[in-house]
Amino acid sequence: LQSATGDRYDLQLMPWRRAYELAMRAEAGLIGTSHNGERAAIFDFSKPLYDDDVQIVVLRERVFPYRRVEDLRGKTVGGVSGASYGEDIDRAIREGVFAVDRDASATGRMRKLLAMRLDAAFVGNGSIGLHILLDSHEELRKHRDRFVALPTPAARDPLHLVFHKSM
């Protein structure tokens, strides 16, 4: 990129919460960020870079029908701390349609699902994201056949590159 734009970029992988705090202080940009009204007031957004299908993963023995957000009513769903899942899901969370158990570890989320401490879990990056996650931990691999992604994703979330408006 430097040869094309003359700009120098320093790419660093870090936990979402830390990256978001840096972006809020106008010290960094973010990649893979969902658009919502609150963020649009703070950040400038690129055109969508890719779509993230957010799967709803359940245990095979606890499958339920899902076609719309209302179908999550009364359930507890595991999700990433600080993540937005699109306007409809975010609104349903604010309105108490369902509860979200926030975490920083998708592996821990899936282990809570196995222990039946959650009704479902949000897993990003579509079916590939789920397969990679299940391969990442011995306990999850051992119970791979118990996990099912419901046929309708919770959201198709276009993800962006963002920078604080002051940058």
Side-chain angles (χ1 to χ4, degrees):
L1 286 172
Q2 188 170 5
S3 63
T5 66
D7 295 331
R8 184 181 163 286
Y9 298 91
D10 179 18
L11 303 178
Q12 296 179 24
L13 297 177
M14 62 184 65
W16 173 253
R17 179 160 282 204
R18 185 179 331 148
Y20 196 82
E21 288 173 11
L22 287 172
M24 289 289 290
R25 295 193 311 252
E27 295 176 21
L30 297 167
I31 191 166
T33 306
S34 303
H35 185 281
N36 65 28
E38 178 183 325
R39 291 177 181 167
I42 300 165
F43 299 111
D44 288 326
F45 284 73
S46 71
K47 292 180 181 176
L49 300 174
Y50 61 96
D51 289 328
D52 179 13
D53 279 346
V54 178
Q55 302 293 313
I56 300 173
V57 179
V58 298
L59 294 177
R60 185 173 302 282
E61 62 269 24
R62 298 179 78 192
V63 170
F64 56 87
Y66 177 83
R67 287 180 299 289
R68 56 194 180 93
V69 176
E70 183 64 31
D71 295 333
L72 294 174
R73 182 166 294 284
K75 301 204 179 307
T76 300
V77 181
V80 177
S81 182
S84 168
Y85 294 103
E87 295 285 352
D88 290 341
I89 298 281
D90 291 351
R91 182 173 34 269
I93 293 167
R94 280 192 309 274
E95 292 173 358
V97 172
F98 64 97
V100 177
D101 180 19
R102 300 281 185 173
D103 61 56
S105 163
T107 301
R109 185 176 327 133
M110 300 304 280
R111 293 180 74 205
K112 285 182 187 177
L113 189 57
L114 269 176
M116 296 189 191
R117 291 174 41 208
L118 299 172
D119 298 303
F122 290 140
V123 175
N125 300 310
S127 60
I128 292 172
L130 177 59
H131 291 294
I132 290 169
L133 177 57
L134 296 179
D135 285 341
S136 73
H137 188 276
E138 183 179 348
E139 183 181 13
L140 301 181
R141 279 192 305 273
K142 184 173 139 183
H143 295 283
R144 167 185 282 285
D145 61 331
R146 290 187 63 200
F147 295 103
V148 175
L150 298 180
T152 303
R156 172 158 278 164
D157 191 14
L159 300 179
H160 307 262
L161 175 65
V162 303
F163 289 95
H164 196 278
K165 288 185 179 289
S166 69
M167 295 176 76

